[in-house]
């Protein structure tokens, strides 16, 4: 079997590690292809080293070029390169998490393809969100698959499972709030937070250095440190990044989200969270929204810690057309509150 993932965030890479560990535990020989520019950061390299140390198969890591023309040519070249390799690799299944090159290569080689991940859910026609049909059609063409299994917060279709999220031991410091808005200007965030001197804000940002200015504690963009501070905070102010939201929900933290309007996935996820009553939302850096958020009671814990090996067992059984039993098992084990 081949598992391929285009890594956008560190949490997605950690999810890959969890699944690969399960494949090894069930003695499924699994080759791994990881792609994406984010693989070059130090934390990603540590997780990649863990995957390689598992020795479940071959692990190929590659970084994609940034320029569109070069990327397009490289994609075409990669499709034919992978197709030639797949003809002799004798895979019985290729699993792809947003890796379109691998998906097309396998499809053209006649190998069954399973698309797996959050992108499957947000592009599903049954997701309760109006519009964006053309985008969904395009995304499903971009990653062709014979079978699709998505991750999201509600079981709106039989092929949707709860997210794979670790269990966390948490505490709650009532005046501690974590802020993770990497797409906002640091100066604008600072201007917003200085209005609330009684709250200790831990602000993670790519442009930040480790320092404290009154009640604002700045931290660089470090996923592990972010999770560490989230464990002890009361609430989180963030963009609608799926993996960050999952961690906050699983920790039982209050959420104030500012989705990036140009990111359709974030708009969809934010809309669903508001409908569920699991978060508050602001469309711009709004002091009134922050004040209202700080007065909010802690969110009910949503335990997404179902055994991810159930998914691996389903894959190993090769009954990929029937996801009903897996779906029912996963959602029956979910705990809210």
């Amino acid at each position: 079997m081949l598992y391929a993932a285009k890594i956008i965030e560190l949490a997605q890479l950690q999810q890959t590690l969890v699944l690969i560990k399960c494949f090894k535990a069930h003695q499924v020989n699994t080759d791994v292809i990881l792609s994406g520019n984010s693989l070059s950061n130090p934390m990603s390299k540590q997780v990649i080293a863990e995957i390689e140390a598992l020795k479940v198969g071959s692990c190929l890591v590659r970084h994609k070029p940034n320029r569109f023309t070069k990327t397009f040519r490289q994609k075409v070249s990669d499709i034919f390169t992978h197709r030639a390799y797949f003809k002799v690799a004798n895979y019985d299944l290729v699993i792809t998490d947003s890796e379109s090159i691998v998906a097309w290569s396998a499809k053209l080689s006649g190998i069954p393809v399973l698309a797996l991940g959050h992108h499957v859910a947000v592009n599903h026609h049954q997701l309760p969100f109006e519009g964006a049909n053309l985008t969904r059609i395009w995304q499903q063409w971009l990653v062709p698959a014979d079978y699709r299994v998505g991750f999201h917060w509600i079981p709106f279709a039989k092929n949707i499972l709860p997210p794979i999220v670790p269990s966390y031991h948490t505490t709650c410091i009532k005046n501690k709030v974590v802020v993770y808005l990497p797409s906002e200007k640091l100066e604008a965030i600072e201007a917003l937070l200085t209005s609330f001197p009684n709250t200790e804000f831990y602000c993670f940002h790519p442009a930040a250095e480790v320092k404290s200015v009154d009640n604002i504690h700045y931290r660089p963009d470090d996923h592990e440190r972010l999770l560490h501070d989230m464990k002890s905070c009361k609430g989180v102010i963030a963009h609608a990044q799926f993996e960050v939201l999952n961690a906050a929900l699983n920790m039982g933290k209050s959420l104030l989200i500012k989705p990036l309007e140009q990111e359709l996935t974030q708009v969809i996820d934010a809309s669903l969270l508001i409908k569920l009553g699991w978060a508050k939302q602001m469309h711009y850096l709004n002091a009134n929204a922050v004040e209202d958020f700080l007065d909010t009671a802690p969110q009910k814990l949503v335990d997404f810690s179902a055994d991810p090996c159930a998914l691996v067992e389903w894959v190993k059984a090769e009954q990929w057309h029937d996801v009903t039993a897996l779906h029912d098992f996963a959602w029956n084990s979910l705990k809210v509150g």
Side-chain angles (χ1 to χ4, degrees):
M1 192 191 74
L2 173 68
Y3 187 101
K6 180 181 179 182
I7 304 301
I8 299 173
E9 295 183 344
L10 180 61
Q12 184 189 5
L13 185 58
Q14 291 172 325
Q15 173 186 287
T16 298
L17 173 60
V18 169
L19 288 173
I20 297 304
K21 284 182 177 178
C22 288
F23 280 121
K24 181 174 183 179
H26 286 76
Q27 299 180 327
V28 179
N29 188 35
T30 310
D31 289 343
V32 182
I33 292 180
L34 304 173
S35 65
N37 290 325
S38 62
L39 296 175
S40 58
N41 72 61
M43 291 303 300
S44 292
K45 289 180 179 178
Q46 291 182 26
V47 181
I48 291 168
E50 289 188 64
I51 294 174
E52 291 175 329
L54 292 173
K55 297 180 180 179
V56 290
S58 60
C59 182
L60 171 65
V61 180
R62 56 192 176 84
H63 309 291
K64 291 187 176 179
N66 290 316
R67 289 190 300 124
F68 173 77
T69 52
K70 187 176 181 181
T71 301
F72 179 77
R73 292 170 186 166
Q74 189 64 50
K75 280 185 176 181
V76 174
S77 173
D78 281 356
I79 287 173
F80 283 98
T81 300
H82 281 85
R83 186 184 178 190
Y85 168 68
F86 289 165
K87 285 183 177 180
V88 297
N90 199 30
Y91 292 125
D92 51 9
L93 179 69
V94 168
I95 299 178
T96 174
D97 183 354
S98 299
E99 228 312 335
S100 57
I101 292 172
V102 169
W104 273 107
S105 302
K107 188 74 174 176
L108 293 173
S109 302
I111 301 171
V113 179
L114 168 63
L116 182 72
H118 178 53
H119 66 97
V120 173
V122 294
N123 292 309
H124 200 292
H125 69 280
Q126 290 181 252
L127 181 67
F129 182 83
E130 298 296 329
N133 288 331
L134 288 177
T135 302
R136 287 169 171 169
I137 292 171
W138 162 249
Q139 288 297 327
Q140 291 191 8
W141 180 89
L142 192 64
V143 183
D146 302 283
Y147 314 98
R148 297 180 185 273
V149 173
F151 299 126
H152 224 304
W153 303 309
I154 57 173
F156 60 84
K158 282 296 182 182
N159 65 328
I160 303 301
L161 305 180
I164 296 173
V165 186
S167 294
Y168 300 99
H169 176 70
T170 65
T171 57
C172 180
I173 300 174
K174 293 183 178 179
N175 70 332
K176 178 178 179 179
V177 171
V178 168
V179 180
Y180 185 47
L181 298 166
S183 295
E184 306 297 327
K185 291 184 178 179
L186 197 56
E187 297 80 5
I189 298 173
E190 181 177 3
L192 174 70
L193 301 182
T194 51
S195 303
F196 307 96
N198 295 324
T199 300
E200 299 296 317
F201 293 102
Y202 286 74
C203 180
F204 288 79
H205 197 279
E209 298 178 354
V210 178
K211 66 176 182 178
S212 295
V213 180
D214 298 324
N215 63 316
I216 306 176
H217 311 283
Y218 295 98
R219 301 288 185 266
D221 195 345
D222 182 329
H223 184 78
E224 290 300 317
R225 185 66 198 181
L226 174 68
L227 290 177
H228 175 78
D229 278 308
M230 283 174 61
K231 291 175 186 177
S232 60
C233 74
K234 175 195 173 185
V236 177
I237 302 174
H239 296 306
Q241 294 170 294
F242 188 65
E243 288 80 8
V244 174
L245 300 180
N246 287 338
L249 291 170
N250 221 38
M251 294 178 188
K253 307 302 179 181
S254 300
L255 273 169
L256 174 61
I257 50 177
K258 181 186 178 296
L260 296 176
E261 299 296 333
Q262 68 273 25
E263 295 285 345
L264 180 61
T265 297
Q266 291 203 17
V267 174
I268 292 173
D269 287 345
S271 173
L272 184 55
L273 273 184
I274 300 306
K275 288 181 180 179
L276 291 169
W278 291 355
K280 293 181 178 292
Q281 180 175 340
M282 61 179 176
H283 296 285
Y284 60 95
L285 298 181
N286 184 340
N288 291 331
V290 174
E291 183 177 14
D292 181 52
F293 167 69
L294 293 177
D295 292 333
T296 302
Q299 165 66 37
K300 290 182 178 180
L301 182 147
V302 184
D303 187 358
F304 292 118
S305 56
D307 182 7
C309 286
L311 172 62
V312 173
E313 290 172 357
W314 173 79
V315 170
K316 189 176 180 180
E318 299 187 4
Q319 298 298 312
W320 307 313
H321 63 282
D322 185 3
V323 74
T324 302
L326 174 63
H327 172 276
D328 293 346
F329 171 81
W331 290 103
N332 287 341
S333 63
L334 187 68
K335 304 179 186 68
V336 179

